[in-house]
Amino acid sequence: NAILTIHAGAGGTEAQDWVGILLRMYLRWAESKGFKTDILDLLPGEEAGTKSVTIMVKGRSAYGYLRSEIGIHRLVRISPFDSSGRRHTSFASVMVLPELDDDVDIEINDKDIRIDTYRASGSGGQHVNKTDSAIRITHVPTGVVVESQTERSQHANRDKAMKRLKAQLLDAERSRQQASQAESRRLQVGSGDRSDRIRTYNFPQGRITDHRVEGLTLYDLPNILEGELGPRVTRLQQEHQADELARLTSE
């Protein structure tokens, strides 16, 4: 299973709308694969779209498919929010973590975390917004912050937030190990620098370009945004496998 988070970057309302478009794309892709999805946390935008959203994607090899989505996704289009019809460039960051197996335990000392409660925001049913049921957990040593507000009870939100915190801490440790072992890898799928722009979606040209792989440009943007990610995911998996084989050969 995979925990997928999308955050709006530079671009204001346009970037928040971009998060909503990406969320729809991933939900439709998951549905086509027969995967189940569960929204863990969602912060709506002020005027449109979504500031940030986290979903659980449940299915065999969901993380294996989605790990190549980690990074910055760049949008180029004529903004529907600009009355002058100018072209805008916006950004959204995507993070994907594997859900921890039941036999993997990450020890977190109570003294290392700070837990805050607050009233949930946004739509969530008539009961959600009436009590301070939302949970924010801060891991003080690393500065990692996770939130959950989709459940009615503090206890349920705390359990979801703790699971995400453990997954992020484990991912950070794995990334450090992989970076030290494979500094020269051409394609850091699943463990690369999350500040890098990995992909551009150009609406005027109907084009999507992956900047990590030479020649990976597809002129099928409408269908891709409808969740048809197959060719792109397959190519990135092949590149990742080639990098792994090259690494094993060199070792």
Side-chain angles (χ1 to χ4, degrees), residues 14 18 21-22 25 72-79 86-91 197-211 216-225 232:
E14 176 77 356
W18 180 221
I21 293 172
L22 288 173
M25 178 184 74
I72 303 299
H73 296 241
R74 175 175 177 253
L75 166 69
V76 178
R77 71 171 180 177
I78 305 299
S79 172
R86 293 175 299 178
R87 180 177 296 190
H88 284 244
T89 300
S90 304
F91 300 88
R197 181 190 67 182
I198 64 164
R199 195 172 296 133
T200 294
Y201 303 72
N202 190 303
F203 274 53
Q205 299 179 12
R207 169 173 55 83
I208 179 171
T209 301
D210 196 292
H211 303 290
L216 184 46
T217 296
L218 302 173
Y219 289 87
D220 194 24
L221 185 57
N223 288 326
I224 289 173
L225 293 178
R232 187 179 82 195

Side-chain angles (χ1 to χ4, degrees), residues 14 25 50 58 64 82 88 100 116 122 127 129 140 172 183 195-196 212 229 238 247:
E14 176 77 356
M25 178 184 74
T50 305
K58 301 178 180 179
D82 187 339
H88 284 244
L100 293 183
D116 301 305
H127 302 288
N129 304 71
V140 178
E183 292 178 353
S195 67
D196 285 344
R212 299 165 296 177
L229 307 184
Q238 291 171 346
R247 179 180 62 85

